[in-house]
């Protein structure tokens, strides 16, 4: 199908797409009602204004409470000065700003060339992406953490490595999973950046201990090791290796540990190759994929860490594959097995997002050079410029040249780069079950609220 070449045709297409996306997000996915943000707000409010213990708070009528490290609560202290609705508005604006940063880094400087048309097409695509929809609708912090981590990737790729590590350190202090990026820095022999990240994480944690000593003691000695606070491992939203094993009824932690070690081995090998090729975006994408797989619980909304992988696929000249995998992640297909994940169909279908994550880890292109025709650019302008290489999403470090990428490679990031206004749709269309929460404590921290049915783990 050929895209329209006239402004009138493009406007009609944009209106049709916007209408379809709006109808989809308003009817198919379930609104999450800012559940996770209400957990954060309630816990901080109880702690600051009512003398309650941070990790004792539960959202009224549920068993879900705060499960992040104490520094996350310290960083959220400004919410104690706001009303709930103001806090929701502020969280929405912060997520929009963070998404803008993420897309700008992944798209590179070529994002400007696609104008309003590419902006709206990218926005429509982002609004359909289930992990992003749920992140906004829950009031989650995933996009903020992704922006912090990718900021370090940009610093390393553009020769500003002396400042790298701060973003990763802050992200690791808010949530444990991003700490794997410190491992990437060590693999890449960026010892200074790794030291900075570690120091920032330690200082932030020490600050939280000084501000909330009792909460810190409880978290690091008890709460962190109590998996029942997070949620049920077999909940269908848990798209990690542990989730697969739990749905298979395999309780042996040794099996999970072996699977984790195998995945870490693959990651170390491929990430080292990506760094050697000067492809920092790819190295960070592989690390995000691995973090999702090895984490005991990876709720669907945590899969925003897959976004860099799609940018890598497009830059490497595989836009159709990227589009196909992206489309699957927009379908909420795993929820078809919410009640029963048994049988071969349950094994394959309920773990669909995990299979995609694992496939990307194994086969994400490394070291591929591609000069593709600017198909999107042509549709965005009646007089398209001649094909010319576009800058990669992240410029290479001087001593580590990155393969040049084609204009087509920039299409995904550029189209999304200006798609900031679309994220409102994303925040309004979470997907999940509609059942009442179960008794297992689940933290809104990342997934507990992800679903209002048998609320998943944390």
């Amino acid at each position: 199908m050929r895209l329209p070449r006239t402004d009138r045709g493009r406007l009609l297409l944009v209106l049709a797409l916007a209408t379809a996306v709006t109808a989809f997000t308003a009817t198919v996915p379930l609104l999450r009602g800012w559940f996770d943000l209400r957990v954060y707000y309630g816990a901080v409010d109880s702690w600051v204004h009512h003398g309650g213990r941070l990790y004792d708070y539960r959202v009224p009528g549920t068993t879900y409470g705060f499960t992040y490290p104490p520094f996350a609560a310290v960083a959220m202290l400004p919410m104690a000065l706001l009303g709930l609705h103001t806090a929701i508005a502020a969280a929405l604006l912060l997520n929009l700003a963070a998404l803008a940063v993420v897309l700008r880094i992944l798209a590179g400087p070529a994002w400007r060339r696609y104008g309003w048309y590419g902006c709206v097409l990218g926005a429509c695509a982002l609004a359909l992406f289930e992990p992003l929809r749920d992140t906004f609708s829950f009031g989650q912090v995933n996009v903020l953490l992704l922006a912090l981590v990718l900021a370090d990737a940009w610093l390393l790729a553009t020769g500003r490595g002396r400042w790298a590590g701060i973003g990763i350190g802050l992200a690791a202090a808010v949530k444990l999973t991003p700490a794997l990026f410190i491992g990437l820095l060590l693999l890449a022999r960026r010892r200074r950046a790794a030291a900075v990240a570690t120091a920032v994480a330690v200082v932030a944690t020490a600050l939280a201990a000084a501000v909330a000593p009792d909460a810190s003691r409880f978290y690091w000695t008890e709460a962190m090791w109590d998996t029942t606070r997070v949620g049920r491992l077999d909940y269908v939203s848990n798209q990690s290796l542990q989730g697969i094993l739990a749905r298979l009824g395999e309780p042996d932690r040794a099996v999970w540990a072996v699977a984790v070690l195998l995945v870490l081995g693959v990651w170390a090998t491929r990430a080292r190759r990506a760094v050697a090729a000067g492809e920092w975006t790819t190295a960070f994408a592989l690390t995000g994929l691995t973090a999702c797989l090895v984490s005991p619980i990876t709720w669907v909304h945590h899969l925003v860490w897959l976004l860099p992988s799609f940018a890598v696929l497009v830059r490497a000249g595989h836009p159709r594959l990227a589009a196909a995998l992206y489309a699957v992640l927009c379908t909420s297909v795993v929820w078809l097995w919410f009640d029963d994940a048994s049988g071969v169909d349950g094994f394959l279908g309920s773990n669909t997002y995990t299979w995609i994550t694992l496939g990307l880890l194994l086969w994400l292109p490394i070291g591929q050079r591609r000069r593709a025709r600017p198909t999107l650019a042509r549709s965005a302008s009646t007089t398209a410029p001649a094909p010319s290489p576009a800058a990669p999403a992240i410029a290479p470090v001087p001593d580590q040249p990155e393969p040049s990428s084609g204009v087509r490679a920039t299409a995904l990031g550029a189209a999304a780069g200006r798609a900031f206004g679309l994220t409102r749709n994303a925040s309004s269309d979470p997907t999940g079950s509609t059942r009442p929460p179960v008794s297992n404590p689940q933290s809104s921290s990342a997934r507990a609220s992800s679903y209002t049915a048998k609320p998943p783990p944390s």
Side-chain angles (χ1 to χ4, degrees), residues 76-99:
M76 294 176 185
L77 279 176
M79 286 197 298
L81 304 176
L82 307 175
L84 176 59
H85 292 93
T86 305
I88 290 173
L92 176 61
L93 292 175
L94 283 173
N95 272 327
L96 287 171
L99 181 62

Side-chain angles (χ1 to χ4, degrees), residues 132-145:
L132 195 58
R133 292 197 314 257
D134 276 1
T135 288
F136 273 81
S137 187
F138 279 123
Q140 261 289 334
V141 299
N142 306 310
V143 177
L144 292 168
L145 300 182

Side-chain angles (χ1 to χ4, degrees), residues 18-31 127-128 133 424-431:
T19 300
V21 169
T22 301
F24 174 81
T25 56
T27 58
V28 177
L30 298 175
L31 291 174
L128 294 173
R133 292 197 314 257
R424 285 183 192 179
N425 294 345
S427 71
S428 66
D429 75 324
T431 58

Side-chain angles (χ1 to χ4, degrees), residues 128-367:
L128 294 173
F129 192 55
E130 183 179 4
L132 195 58
R133 292 197 314 257
D134 276 1
T135 288
F136 273 81
S137 187
F138 279 123
Q140 261 289 334
V141 299
N142 306 310
V143 177
L144 292 168
L145 300 182
L146 179 59
L148 285 172
V149 167
L150 287 183
D152 278 346
W154 179 80
L155 290 172
L156 289 168
T158 54
R160 299 174 176 86
R162 59 178 298 185
W163 302 105
I166 296 176
I168 291 174
L170 288 173
V174 170
K175 199 171 180 180
L176 300 178
T177 308
L180 184 61
F181 288 91
I182 299 178
L184 172 63
L185 296 176
L186 293 173
L187 280 176
R189 297 184 180 179
R190 295 285 181 155
R191 295 184 179 86
R192 185 181 190 281
V196 169
T198 303
V200 168
V202 169
V203 169
T205 301
L207 172 64
V211 173
D214 291 339
S216 295
R217 186 181 307 109
F218 177 77
Y219 178 81
W220 295 110
T221 60
E222 295 185 45
M224 187 178 76
W225 313 100
D226 183 4
T227 57
T228 62
R229 294 182 58 89
V230 181
R232 294 168 28 243
L233 294 175
D234 65 340
Y235 189 64
V236 73
S237 179
N238 184 13
Q239 294 293 304
S240 67
L241 296 175
Q242 181 73 286
I244 294 178
L245 295 174
R247 284 186 285 277
L248 285 174
E250 176 51 70
D252 192 345
R253 288 298 183 91
V255 176
W256 173 68
V258 170
V260 166
L261 289 175
L262 289 174
V263 166
L264 289 175
V266 172
W267 161 71
T269 301
R270 306 207 77 225
R272 193 178 287 116
R273 284 181 53 202
V275 170
E279 298 178 5
W280 283 102
T281 308
T282 305
F284 273 70
L286 290 167
T287 306
L289 294 168
T290 303
C292 290
L293 289 169
V294 303
S295 174
I297 291 183
T298 297
W299 302 132
V300 168
H301 52 271
H302 293 164
L303 297 179
V304 293
W305 291 97
L306 271 61
L307 283 174
S309 300
F310 294 113
V312 171
L313 282 174
V314 172
R315 283 208 319 275
H318 303 289
R320 292 182 180 178
L321 176 59
L325 296 178
Y326 188 93
V328 174
L329 284 160
C330 294
T331 62
S332 304
V333 63
V334 296
W335 295 102
L336 293 175
W337 288 271
F338 172 79
D339 290 312
D340 183 8
S342 61
V344 176
D345 65 316
F347 174 69
L348 297 176
S350 67
N351 302 307
T352 299
Y353 296 170
T354 312
W355 304 137
I356 291 176
T357 306
L358 185 59
L360 287 170
L361 174 65
L362 294 173
W363 293 295
L364 197 67
I366 297 175

Side-chain angles (χ1 to χ4, degrees), residues 402-418:
E402 180 179 10
S404 62
S405 34
V407 174
R408 185 176 181 184
T410 347
L412 174 66
R418 304 236 354 210

Side-chain angles (χ1 to χ4, degrees), residues 42-57 212 214-215:
V44 170
D45 180 71
S46 173
W47 177 37
V48 173
H49 296 301
H50 305 287
R53 300 207 314 172
L54 181 64
Y55 294 99
D56 284 348
Y57 174 80
D214 291 339

